[in-house]
């Protein structure tokens, strides 16, 4: 069974601080996605990474896929209250017929 | 813009009634769609895979007679919670995939009284 772990589970920081969220597994994934979910809404895709070692930037967010495609990180620079939400990583199945695997999420709170 | 829609967004029902939730793929046909439930402050839990033209595939522990899934067309999947009970109250989300990514609907909040 493929599992994804995320750390930390909860994070409360002040506006302007930097933070990194980690997504780890012992399994290899064909791709990895990061989503942000706000209360009462569905998850919204932030990024998809597919190549080991890949780094993608989305404004103040930097995403990295591990070389072995087993882990990923999300770094936020100068966090803002609007970044508050549940951050989910999801691994794309390495084999056809398998399902996406979701991490338990990191709940981020950015205080003004 | 949104590529997956859900209806209704919120529903309140009495215990023992059935509730149908619709999930539509707006931009292209989807032979496979997914249904999840999410309890407060928890991550998504995959319930079942909806397959157009064949039976849904349910995850372990999910009652197929309780949660009826019908993939009526290539753009519509429905989840019916039959004989709903208060413990079925949750946030139900559907998704469909495209090129290594899942796109989610906005979710349906079900409250069973």
């Amino acid at each position: 069974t493929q599992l994804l772990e995320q750390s930390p589970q909860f994070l409360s920081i002040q506006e302007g601080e930097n933070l990194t969220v980690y997504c780890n597994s012992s399994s290899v994934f064909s791709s990895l996605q990061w989503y942000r979910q706000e209360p009462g809404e569905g998850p919204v895709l932030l990024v998809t990474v597919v190549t080991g070692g890949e780094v993608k930037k989305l404004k103040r967010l930097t995403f990295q896929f591990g070389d072995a495609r087993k882990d990923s990180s999300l770094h936020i620079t100068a966090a803002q209250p609007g970044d508050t939400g549940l951050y989910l990583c999801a691994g794309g199945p390495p084999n056809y017929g398998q399902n996406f695997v979701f991490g338990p999420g990191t709940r981020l709170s950015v205080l003004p | 813009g949104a590529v997956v829609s859900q209806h209704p967004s919120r529903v309140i029902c009495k215990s023992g009634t059935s509730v149908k939730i619709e999930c539509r793929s707006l931009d292209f046909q989807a032979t496979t769609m997914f249904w999840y439930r999410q309890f407060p402050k928890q991550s998504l839990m995959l319930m079942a895979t909806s397959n157009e033209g064949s039976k849904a595939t349910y995850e372990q522990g999910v009652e197929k007679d309780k949660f009826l899934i019908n993939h009526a067309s290539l753009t519509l999947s429905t989840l019916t919670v039959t004989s709903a009970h208060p413990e079925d109250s949750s946030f139900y989300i559907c998704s469909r995939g495209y090129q290594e990514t899942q796109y989610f609907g906005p979710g349906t909040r079900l409250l069973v009284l």
Side-chain angles (χ1 to χ4, degrees):
Chain A
T1 302
Q2 297 178 297
L3 291 174
L4 275 170
E5 297 178 345
Q6 285 187 240
S7 61
Q9 283 189 295
F10 301 94
L11 186 58
S12 182
I13 60 172
Q14 293 293 134
E15 182 176 3
E17 293 183 9
N18 302 331
L19 67 117
T20 302
V21 177
Y22 299 93
C23 177
N24 298 292
S25 176
S26 58
S27 302
V28 175
F29 292 96
S30 60
S31 65
L32 200 135
Q33 297 85 46
W34 285 94
Y35 298 85
R36 183 172 71 221
Q37 183 182 25
E38 299 190 24
E41 299 180 9
V44 174
L45 177 70
L46 296 174
V47 77
T48 297
V49 285
V50 296
T51 305
E54 182 176 4
V55 177
K56 281 191 174 180
K57 291 190 176 183
L58 183 65
K59 295 184 180 179
R60 293 177 294 100
L61 279 60
T62 302
F63 306 86
Q64 184 164 8
F65 200 12
D67 291 341
R69 289 186 289 132
K70 293 182 178 181
D71 53 81
S72 179
S73 64
L74 158 60
H75 182 79
I76 302 179
T77 303
Q80 299 177 0
D83 296 327
T84 294
L86 177 67
Y87 288 81
L88 296 162
C89 66
N95 298 308
Y96 180 80
Q98 295 180 321
N99 292 320
F100 281 78
V101 177
F102 283 89
T106 293
R107 193 163 296 279
L108 172 65
S109 177
V110 182
L111 306 174
Chain B
V3 296
V4 179
S5 69
Q6 280 185 242
H7 177 80
S9 58
R10 295 172 179 266
V11 57
I12 301 173
C13 68
K14 292 182 179 180
S15 185
T17 60
S18 295
V19 175
K20 180 186 285 187
I21 303 170
E22 295 185 346
C23 176
R24 293 184 184 274
S25 177
L26 301 177
D27 54 349
F28 72 90
Q29 296 174 339
T31 56
T32 302
M33 300 175 84
F34 302 91
W35 286 96
Y36 306 81
R37 65 188 298 181
Q38 185 178 32
F39 291 107
K41 304 196 177 196
Q42 294 188 21
S43 187
L44 304 174
M45 184 188 78
L46 179 65
M47 298 175 67
T49 302
S50 173
N51 304 299
E52 192 274 336
S54 64
K55 293 181 180 180
T57 305
Y58 290 83
E59 295 301 299
Q60 191 173 7
V62 178
E63 299 176 58
K64 61 180 181 180
D65 296 329
K66 172 78 172 175
F67 299 98
L68 300 179
I69 291 173
N70 182 19
H71 206 121
S73 72
L74 286 170
T75 58
L76 174 64
S77 175
T78 61
L79 167 68
T80 301
V81 183
T82 62
S83 187
H85 289 98
E87 57 265 31
D88 298 324
S89 297
S90 189
F91 193 52
Y92 293 86
I93 309 174
C94 68
S95 74
R96 65 106 172 118
Y98 179 71
Q99 292 188 345
E100 299 285 352
T101 299
Q102 286 294 314
Y103 293 91
F104 291 89
T108 297
R109 172 78 57 193
L110 170 63
L111 176 61
V112 185
L113 302 177

